[in-house]
Amino acid sequence: MDSPLLADARALRPDLVAWRRHLHMHPELSYQEQATAAFVRERLAALGLEASPPMAGGTGLTCTIHGVEDGPTVALRADMDALPIQEDSSAPYVSKAPGVAHLCGHDAHTTMLIGAGALLARQRPARGHVRLLFQPAEEAGAGAARMIEDGALDAVAAIYALHVDPRTPVGHTGTTVGPANAAADEIAIEVTGAGGHAAYPHLSVDAVAVAAQVVTAIQHVVSRHSDPLEPLVVTIGTIQGGFASNVIAPSVRMTGTVRTFGPELRKAMPARLERVIHAVAAAHGATATLDVRFGYPATVNDGSLLPDFEASVAAVMGEGRNAQMAPTMGAEDFAYYAQRVPGMIARLGVRNEALGFSHPLHHPRFDLDEDALPLGAALLADVARRWLAGARR
Ligand code: NI
């Protein structure tokens, strides 16, 4: 038998589907979520909930739902931005924005958080407060960090979030305790040689040939210089140089990403890469520079938040529906919240192979089973109520 919360969530399903499809058809890139934020404000207002002034660059907002009695505050977070990818879908709700689409499910995250607000507005917690965080720019630009700068976590004692997961069947969830998502840092390497005629390599310094050796040599930093038991990825994603097939390129520029979990390894990587890059370039008479831009830190989920989450999954979806999942090298800016207060981001199953919902996140054909929407909304509302009921502060 359904809990009152789940019964309410099921009754909300037509609204949730309509909201999600509206957002899906009108995706916006990081820090451009004006229409999305306006839509969230309208929906919250219609529920009798008051949103904060704009924050985090203008498209972020929060909304606090007050319990009957004063008490601690627990936060729930949704990200709102889409990806610069052309969607490949024949669904009636396909993206109307050329080259932009919700292929990471943030339309569902936003929808479920409005839905959780609707449920909590009807069944207010007995004690304490729930703050809904609608953040911009998860995909690029660390929207979470700017939300925190603007006070989104002030007085918050714990934070939960859901991310849709196309590997997990709808009606199931997954959690990872401890390190869950890797830190992601950007690197740019510039190799400088000396250009010349392609027929006379001995009279020039071939930056393409040196760059090729640099690419393979830095994989030794992963396989030979680092503890094999510690996760580490270095990927060169772009490589550019040269003008013509019969001209030796004077320089090559490459960009890539470094993924780590351990803070010590993360800190050590720039120097380790630099040593190899400089030495390989020097061995061939070239020079090279390395630029590192530190990005999202690793996301570390707090195990103390797991029992309430598991209890909520059991209440909303049934016993045995939450699985422990391995960490991933993908990054997630929820990391910034979890650095400040105990946090947990869990995976919400949206897979349904029979309906064709099995493509991975960021795939042009990614789509999700909308049965997950009422489940996710109920889960968020339930875990917030449960955490507040158990909080001894
Ligand atoms: Ni995402």
Side-chain angles (χ1 to χ4, degrees):
M1 201 178 62
D2 280 2
S3 68
L5 203 63
L6 187 55
D8 270 6
R10 287 199 198 284
L12 203 57
R13 189 185 193 280
D15 285 336
L16 295 169
V17 169
W19 298 343
R20 184 259 166 168
R21 291 185 179 194
H22 173 85
L23 294 171
H24 195 87
M25 285 190 280
H26 302 97
E28 295 172 300
L29 294 174
S30 306
Y31 289 124
Q32 297 173 25
E33 307 91 342
Q34 278 89 4
T36 305
F39 180 82
V40 171
R41 279 178 190 284
E42 279 167 30
R43 297 282 79 70
L44 293 174
L47 296 166
L49 298 173
E50 196 185 338
S52 71
M55 57 202 297
T59 52
L61 61 123
T62 65
C63 173
T64 302
I65 298 158
H66 300 286
V68 179
E69 276 178 50
D70 194 22
T73 300
V74 63
L76 303 171
R77 170 271 207 168
D79 39 14
M80 302 191 289
D81 54 333
L83 285 160
I85 303 174
Q86 177 66 43
E87 185 173 22
D88 177 11
S89 166
S90 55
Y93 49 85
V94 64
S95 169
K96 289 180 184 292
V100 183
H102 272 296
L103 298 172
C104 199
H106 298 187
D107 51 343
H109 302 169
T110 304
T111 296
M112 294 186 297
L113 193 58
I114 302 170
L119 301 175
L120 289 163
R122 290 182 57 168
Q123 298 185 41
R124 288 183 188 265
R127 179 174 160 268
H129 315 282
V130 183
R131 187 172 305 156
L132 314 179
L133 269 59
F134 293 90
Q135 76 154 79
E138 192 286 324
E139 298 291 355
R146 296 193 54 186
M147 290 289 285
I148 295 168
E149 278 169 30
D150 288 355
L153 279 190
D154 291 359
V156 166
I159 183 166
Y160 284 96
L162 294 175
H163 200 297
V164 299
D165 185 17
R167 300 166 301 172
T168 303
V170 66
H172 294 253
T173 57
T175 46
T176 309
V177 168
N181 291 81
D185 302 319
E186 272 180 54
I187 55 171
I189 300 165
E190 189 103 32
V191 175
T192 306
H197 195 297
Y200 313 109
H202 56 295
L203 302 179
S204 50
V205 178
D206 183 351
V208 167
V210 177
Q213 298 217 352
V214 167
V215 171
T216 51
I218 59 180
Q219 290 308 322
H220 276 239
V221 176
V222 181
S223 67
R224 303 290 89 181
H225 306 176
S226 305
D227 183 344
L229 294 179
E230 203 173 341
L232 171 63
V233 173
V234 180
T235 294
I236 297 296
T238 70
I239 175 161
Q240 283 158 330
F243 313 107
S245 60
N246 60 351
V247 177
I248 284 177
S251 68
V252 168
R253 182 179 163 81
M254 300 179 275
T255 63
T257 184
V258 177
R259 303 292 170 109
T260 53
F261 278 105
E264 293 307 315
L265 177 59
R266 186 186 191 199
K267 249 187 274 168
M269 281 305 290
R272 287 191 198 175
L273 289 170
E274 204 150 49
R275 190 181 61 176
V276 168
I277 291 164
H278 284 169
V280 169
H284 301 284
T287 59
T289 59
L290 170 70
D291 257 358
V292 180
R293 273 185 32 211
F294 286 103
Y296 298 173
T299 302
V300 182
N301 283 330
D302 192 307
S304 73
L305 301 186
L306 183 64
D308 282 333
F309 185 79
E310 285 182 324
S312 289
V313 173
V316 170
M317 298 183 181
E319 293 292 339
R321 296 300 189 98
N322 185 54
Q324 291 304 305
M325 292 184 84
T328 93
M329 301 308 285
E332 165 58 69
D333 87 343
F334 185 79
Y336 291 101
Y337 302 118
Q339 276 183 332
R340 294 299 185 95
V341 298
M344 173 155 290
I345 183 164
R347 302 196 177 273
L348 178 72
V350 295
R351 184 183 186 86
N352 186 332
E353 267 172 277
L355 297 179
F357 302 129
S358 57
H359 293 284
L361 297 172
H362 296 208
H363 188 284
R365 302 184 75 172
F366 167 76
D367 199 356
L368 54 89
D369 188 336
E370 289 169 332
D371 280 351
L373 300 174
L375 295 175
L379 196 49
L380 288 168
D382 190 86
V383 78
R385 289 171 58 89
R386 207 172 282 275
W387 187 90
L388 288 174
R392 300 274 177 274
R393 274 157 255 259

